[in-house]
Amino acid sequence: MSLYELSIRLVLSFVALLILTRLMGRKELSQITFHNFVSAVAIGNIAGSLAADNALSIRNGLYGLVGWSLFTVAIGYLNLKFQSSRKLLNGDSLIVIKGGKIVEGAMSSARLDMDSLNMMLRSKNVFSLADVDYAIFETDGTLSVMKKEQKQTVTKADLNLMSSKKVIPIGTEVISDGEVSEENLAKLNLNVLWLEQQLRKVDITSPGEVFYAEVQKDGSLYVDRKDE
């Protein structure tokens, strides 16, 4: 391979990667889920081959890059439109600490050991399991942590919650892109009838009109309508 051809390949692979990454969106950079990781590895290998492997023609290399990128965009669209697709491809977030107690079954499902859990807690400035009320292992491999009330900085909103009759540990999703999560409602001892009554209070007649809704810590319902 001549220096001229190598230069052409390097420029083409760089420009193609730059354009295709912009088309795929910021999520590919900020949130690495299972299919994002597979796509990143595959696209990186193809780009490397296009840049330095003269056995791969420029045409076939560009075709491979564009093909993988279109596949990634299509999967992202399915994830955006269909909740079942998100669960199939990315799995569910797992509660690994609940009410201050380690959920061993969730730890096993996530293949997460105690050393790794403690390391992730330290990255959230939590140095003792005794300080944790809830911890959720997210689908992108990060850990979301809520400390116990006595370990949190008390705000005026927190003081109001203390006098509330019904307090829920964490905000819980009950509608996503028009689809009701009856499973999450059941976890809160609520049902679809209650949800419909709450929606009617804000002039919404059907869950299909809702992009996202969650039951907040004080038991109220946060609702975000779909764009018209």
Side-chain angles (χ1 to χ4, degrees), residues 88-99:
L88 177 64
L89 291 170
N90 301 327
D92 285 320
S93 299
L94 297 172
I95 298 176
V96 293
I97 299 178
K98 183 177 182 180

Side-chain angles (χ1 to χ4, degrees), residues 86-133:
R86 292 197 295 271
K87 288 189 176 182
L88 177 64
L89 291 170
N90 301 327
D92 285 320
S93 299
L94 297 172
I95 298 176
V96 293
I97 299 178
K98 183 177 182 180
K101 179 174 174 24
I102 294 172
V103 183
E104 296 180 15
M107 292 277 290
S108 178
S109 297
R111 294 179 175 83
L112 187 65
D113 58 65
M114 285 304 304
D115 288 340
S116 298
L117 178 61
N118 281 320
M119 180 183 69
M120 297 174 82
L121 288 172
R122 288 193 294 272
S123 72
K124 299 290 185 180
N125 293 320
V126 177
F127 295 90
S128 172
L129 280 168
D131 296 344
V132 180
D133 194 11

Side-chain angles (χ1 to χ4, degrees), residues 8 11 16 39 47 61 73 100 113 115 121 124 133 146 170 172 177-179 187 193 207 223:
I8 293 295
V11 171
S39 295
V73 170
D113 58 65
D115 288 340
L121 288 172
K124 299 290 185 180
D133 194 11
M146 186 178 76
I170 55 176
T172 304
D177 201 11
E179 294 185 26
K187 290 178 181 178
L193 179 60
V223 179

Side-chain angles (χ1 to χ4, degrees), residues 52-227:
D53 186 1
N54 59 1
L56 178 67
S57 69
I58 293 177
R59 182 194 65 184
N60 289 345
L62 290 174
Y63 178 80
L65 279 176
V66 173
W68 263 107
S69 300
L70 290 176
F71 180 74
T72 302
V73 170
I75 293 297
Y77 177 79
L78 288 175
N79 285 349
L80 181 64
K81 300 301 292 183
F82 303 105
Q83 187 175 14
S84 57
S85 173
R86 292 197 295 271
K87 288 189 176 182
L88 177 64
L89 291 170
N90 301 327
D92 285 320
S93 299
L94 297 172
I95 298 176
V96 293
I97 299 178
K98 183 177 182 180
K101 179 174 174 24
I102 294 172
V103 183
E104 296 180 15
M107 292 277 290
S108 178
S109 297
R111 294 179 175 83
L112 187 65
D113 58 65
M114 285 304 304
D115 288 340
S116 298
L117 178 61
N118 281 320
M119 180 183 69
M120 297 174 82
L121 288 172
R122 288 193 294 272
S123 72
K124 299 290 185 180
N125 293 320
V126 177
F127 295 90
S128 172
L129 280 168
D131 296 344
V132 180
D133 194 11
Y134 275 78
I136 301 174
F137 191 56
E138 307 290 0
T139 56
D140 63 352
T142 60
L143 191 71
S144 299
V145 179
M146 186 178 76
K147 294 181 180 180
K148 291 181 177 177
E149 286 188 7
Q150 60 268 33
K151 298 295 182 178
Q152 297 178 14
T153 302
V154 178
T155 65
K156 185 176 180 180
D158 294 327
L159 293 173
N160 291 335
L161 280 177
M162 290 177 187
S163 61
S164 175
K165 292 182 179 179
K166 183 173 184 179
V167 178
I168 294 170
I170 55 176
T172 304
E173 173 191 305
V174 290
I175 300 178
S176 177
D177 201 11
E179 294 185 26
V180 176
S181 174
E182 295 189 30
E183 180 182 353
N184 285 351
L185 282 172
K187 290 178 181 178
L188 301 175
N189 295 319
L190 300 172
N191 53 38
V192 176
L193 179 60
W194 175 87
L195 180 60
E196 291 175 345
Q197 290 172 344
Q198 299 303 308
L199 292 176
R200 283 197 291 270
K201 291 180 180 178
V202 290
D203 298 324
I204 295 176
T205 59
S206 168
E209 300 175 34
V210 179
F211 181 72
Y212 179 81
E214 72 172 25
V215 179
Q216 300 181 92
K217 292 174 65 176
D218 61 357
S220 63
L221 186 68
Y222 166 82
V223 179
D224 182 68
R225 295 173 184 260
K226 286 185 177 180
D227 293 334

